[in-house]
């Protein structure tokens, strides 16, 4: 997901601005003359990967089409502290009213992109790929997965509709339906939804064997040790893609990648990334 649809950005920006402004920006309207023009910059306060400039542009365009915004870095750029990310010129009121909404988008998405870049760099050269998950903020999944892609990660399932993913609770039910239930469910999907990938979660090596027997395209190796992951990769022997998941941290991801898995999914990219420190600073008032 390398870009965001214009209509999606507009809808999101309008909702966010309505939430923040409500009936009006009381403080700005009381303190800043309507005719006053200003210049401001958004500045990185720490090293980070920039993501979300489309949203920043959308916020100020929605508030004031006359306001000029100049991007000073590219989306996905790795910047150092004190780097000016973009410059705003125009109505001082518009700049101040849009400040927090624009920064909220930029700080959150840049945080996700920055954390993703750290995971991707940690496994460079191993052949493994970092995936995101569905552990996202409700209604903001597209936005957060976009930030993962900007950071160099790969988007996994967007939702329940684009792949068959048999998780532990599905398996708990299938066990009650008989030993052939998993294979029958797989066959049903292949028959009724041809082309849809079949993914099956495995908590143990016997589960890996069962997933292979059922015809999985992709086996999710959940919370396995590195020794178990290596054994699972050997058992699969290229007959399905392998994915390590469960509690993956920056401190452990390189060792996990070295086991030979194809993918490593990291829920923390979206559910635990912190917002990076960026600020908007008014640099001068214009006549």
């Amino acid at each position: 997901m390398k870009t965001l649809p214009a209509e999606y950005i507009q809808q999101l920006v309008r909702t966010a601005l309505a939430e923040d402004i409500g009936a009006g920006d009381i403080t700005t309207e009381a303190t800043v003359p309507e005719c006053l023009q200003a210049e401001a910059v958004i500045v990185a306060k720490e090293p980070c990967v920039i993501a979300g400039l489309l949203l920043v542009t959308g916020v100020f365009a929605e508030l004031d089409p006359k306001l000029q915004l100049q991007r000073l870095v590219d989306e996905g750029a790795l910047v150092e502290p004190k780097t000016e990310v973009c410059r705003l010129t125009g109505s001082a009121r518009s700049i101040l009213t849009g400040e927090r909404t624009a920064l909220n988008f930029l700080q959150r998405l840049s945080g996700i992109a920055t954390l993703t870049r750290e995971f991707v760099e940690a496994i460079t050269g191993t052949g493994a790929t970092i995936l995101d998950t569905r552990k996202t903020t409700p209604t903001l999944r597209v936005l957060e997965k976009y930030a993962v892609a900007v950071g160099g990660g790969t988007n996994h399932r967007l939702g329940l509709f684009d792949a068959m993913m048999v998780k532990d609770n599905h398996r708990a039910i299938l066990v009650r339906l008989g030993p052939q239930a998993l294979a029958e469910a797989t066959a049903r999907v292949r028959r009724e939804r041809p082309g849809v990938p079949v993914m099956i979660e495995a908590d143990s090596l016997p589960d890996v064997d069962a997933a292979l027997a059922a015809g999985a395209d992709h086996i999710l190796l959940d919370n396995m040790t590195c020794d178990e992951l290596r054994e699972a990769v050997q058992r699969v022997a290229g007959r399905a893609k392998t994915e390590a998941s469960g509690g993956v941290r920056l401190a452990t991801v390189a060792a996990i990648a070295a086991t030979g898995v194809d993918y490593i999914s990291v829920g923390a990219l979206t559910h635990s990334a912190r917002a990076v420190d960026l600020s908007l600073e008014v640099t001068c008032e214009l006549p």
Side-chain angles (χ1 to χ4, degrees), residues 112-196:
I112 292 172
T114 300
L115 182 59
T116 301
R117 182 73 59 88
E118 291 173 353
F119 272 93
V120 170
E121 290 180 348
I123 65 166
T124 298
T126 65
T129 298
I130 296 294
L131 302 179
D132 57 20
T133 72
R134 288 168 47 241
K135 295 176 182 177
T136 54
T137 308
T139 76
L140 297 181
R141 179 170 296 168
V142 169
L143 198 60
E144 292 175 350
K145 281 180 172 281
Y146 164 78
V148 168
V150 171
T154 297
N155 297 140
H156 206 353
R157 292 193 299 164
L158 187 60
L160 297 173
F161 50 83
D162 54 7
M164 177 186 184
M165 171 72 88
V166 181
K167 302 276 284 181
D168 54 352
N169 286 327
H170 297 103
R171 292 202 327 268
I173 292 173
L174 287 168
V175 165
R176 302 178 189 178
L177 300 178
Q180 297 302 314
L182 179 58
E184 290 169 356
T186 299
R188 185 178 307 115
V189 168
R190 295 203 193 286
R191 183 173 62 252
E192 298 176 358
R193 298 176 181 269
V196 168

Side-chain angles (χ1 to χ4, degrees), residues 18 26 32 45 74 99 105 161 206 210 221 226 240 266 270 278-279 284:
I26 294 173
V32 179
K45 309 301 283 292
D74 294 328
E99 173 183 358
F105 280 129
F161 50 83
L221 308 170
C226 285
V266 186
T270 50
L278 294 130
S279 67
C284 66

